[in-house]
Amino acid sequence: MSEPPNHAASTKQSYSSEVGNSGYFFPHLPISCDSVLHFCHPPLSSISMVVTGYLDDCTCDVETIDAFNNYKLFPRLNELLQSDYFRYYKVNLQKPCPFWEDNSHCGMRDCAVQPCSSDEVPDGIRAGSYKYSEEANNLAEQCEEAKRLGAVDDSLSKETRQAVLQWAQHDDSSDSFCEADDIHSPDAEYVDLLLNPERYTGYKGPDAWKIWNSIYEENCFKPQNVKRPLASGRGDDGGHMFYKWLKGVCVEKRAFYRLISGLHASINIHLSARYLLQDSWSEKKWGPNITEFQQRFDEVLTGGEGPRRLKNLYFLYLIELRALSKVLPFFERPSFQLYTGNQSQDAEMKHLLLEILHLAKSFPLHFDENSFFAGNKEEAAKLKEEFRLHFKNISKIMDCVGCFKCRLWGKLQTQGLGTALKILFSENLIEKIPESGPSYGFQLTRQEIVALFNAFGRVSTSVKELENFRNILQNLR
């Protein structure tokens, strides 16, 4: 899901395309080639280093995150996400757009998603079974009791029963930051995330712009008279008015914008890192597209916006990392299992999962979420609900994305971030989780667990890809 990159007006150039012997693709930039070395590169003046230094509203710096992620967390997380429990995600890609008439679906083959056949998904996941869980056995008994007691409800009026049902649904959704798919819908299908990777699909132009414009303009608390930097078709003041407004709003609204901008940056890094470089009858070649990366993040080409976008990516990383550190008690319980039906592999993956969560907890410079929704309790509760509903609205917008692969990853990553926010704002409930037995106050569904770790996996991969781009750019100097 790629919004066309915006360029500073002063950087317009005549464009050409070339593939150098380096194996990297530089479309749209003038090419300089060494006739002796047979090496082509974009002009050195357009190459700038990736971000460094401290992040706003944080005590953490980019370098600390890079070292922690790239050499400690990323390899372990990548291994976890290869496992059966985390690679299969159930999603409904057929839901209609709830906000505008949208019949335009991307017809390009790279936009397509190949769902799993029923025999590809492990029995334990498909059956929704929790064979190894003591908690599940207790809950099964309670369900039987609930069914028995449910007979009494037949004596209630239709209106009363409907009201009770609505209250139950409200209780289930009151802590949710996302519009979750009904996984029991006939349109919901399992997708193997490893066979449908997030990468460049060619989906761009007005349809993609409409998605991001709706997210930023209608859901990020921004007044209509405040213009986003580099927004298409608008006079640009270098972002002065926008950043003056952003600096003046409360920390919660500022964080909301930075999370969305960070998610957008992460997606664009994936598209730049896994770009279609060659498409012939014999093979497809995917790899890093230096120019695509520069057009979106280079300080000069973006009028200073690129580094801000990348810093917002690091802010998103800190928020999701903090959620993982907070949710450790939920996964540490002996009754919780990553059930797929393969007992030895399930035990091994739970061990790896706990290793990752303990590693996340050990991070030395965590974001302090206690600054969120502080002060007057009534005003804080109102702001928190507004925050939740705005994000939930963004999760609904994902059903308007015309590219099915972009829709898949957009839905997964918004659900993952929404789950992270749910965790951060459920700290009191998590603290009350018993060491054994069922957790009534705080629950995560399998969908939320798979989305949470895969979404963080995407952000972690983006941080790792930045190191790759940094090395490539250094070698071109």
Side-chain angles (χ1 to χ4, degrees), residues 219-240:
N219 294 280
C220 284
F221 301 97
K222 185 183 70 63
Q224 289 296 315
N225 65 325
V226 175
K227 311 303 182 186
R228 280 188 294 130
L230 303 180
S232 300
R234 298 180 173 187
D236 185 28
D237 64 353
H240 176 76

Side-chain angles (χ1 to χ4, degrees), residues 61-257:
D61 59 274
V62 166
E63 289 78 8
T64 299
I65 296 174
D66 281 340
F68 176 81
N69 178 76
N70 298 348
Y71 303 106
K72 293 183 178 181
L73 192 141
F74 173 77
R76 294 174 173 88
L77 182 60
N78 196 45
E79 180 184 351
L80 182 75
L81 298 180
Q82 306 288 316
S83 69
D84 284 351
Y85 188 90
F86 289 98
R87 69 185 291 178
Y88 295 105
Y89 179 66
K90 198 169 189 181
V91 62
N92 183 356
L93 297 176
Q94 306 301 323
K95 289 174 70 174
C97 174
F99 300 111
W100 56 79
E101 289 294 327
D102 184 61
N103 298 317
S104 58
H105 289 148
C106 173
M108 290 178 284
R109 57 184 175 177
D110 291 320
C111 287
V113 170
Q114 182 60 47
C116 299
S117 60
S118 59
D119 59 343
E120 290 180 272
V121 183
D123 292 340
I125 294 176
R126 188 159 31 90
S129 172
Y130 296 87
K131 179 180 175 183
Y132 308 150
S133 171
E134 295 174 13
E135 177 178 339
N137 293 335
N138 293 334
L139 291 177
E141 292 175 7
Q142 292 166 23
C143 286
E144 290 300 318
E145 179 70 4
K147 288 179 182 178
R148 185 184 67 78
L149 294 175
V152 178
D153 291 343
D154 290 339
S155 64
L156 300 175
S157 68
K158 180 179 179 182
E159 291 76 12
T160 303
R161 278 182 285 161
Q162 183 64 27
V164 171
L165 177 61
Q166 289 175 345
W167 274 110
Q169 291 172 338
H170 173 75
D171 289 343
D172 289 341
S173 64
S174 60
D175 63 346
S176 172
F177 283 75
C178 289
E179 184 72 12
D181 284 348
D182 176 8
I183 61 172
H184 301 295
S185 165
D187 289 328
E189 297 179 289
Y190 281 103
V191 173
D192 186 338
L193 298 174
L194 300 183
L195 297 182
N196 294 275
E198 183 181 28
R199 61 190 180 192
Y200 182 80
T201 65
Y203 178 65
K204 55 186 177 180
D207 289 340
W209 178 87
K210 187 176 182 179
I211 298 294
W212 286 111
N213 191 63
S214 177
I215 290 172
Y216 283 118
E217 294 296 322
E218 300 169 18
N219 294 280
C220 284
F221 301 97
K222 185 183 70 63
Q224 289 296 315
N225 65 325
V226 175
K227 311 303 182 186
R228 280 188 294 130
L230 303 180
S232 300
R234 298 180 173 187
D236 185 28
D237 64 353
H240 176 76
M241 184 178 180
F242 175 82
Y243 287 107
K244 182 179 180 181
W245 163 80
L246 191 65
K247 186 177 181 180
V249 299
C250 63
V251 64
E252 294 86 357
K253 292 182 179 180
R254 189 160 62 245
F256 191 99
Y257 168 78

Side-chain angles (χ1 to χ4, degrees), residues 426-440:
S426 302
E427 183 175 12
N428 292 336
L429 295 176
I430 294 174
E431 288 176 349
K432 296 175 183 176
I433 293 176
E435 291 184 7
S436 61
S439 169
Y440 294 108

Side-chain angles (χ1 to χ4, degrees), residues 4-12 15 28 230 236 295-296 300-303:
N6 292 292
H7 302 190
S10 61
T11 61
K12 292 181 179 177
Y15 293 161
H28 316 309
L230 303 180
D236 185 28
Q295 286 177 344
R296 298 179 186 282
V300 175
L301 295 178
T302 62

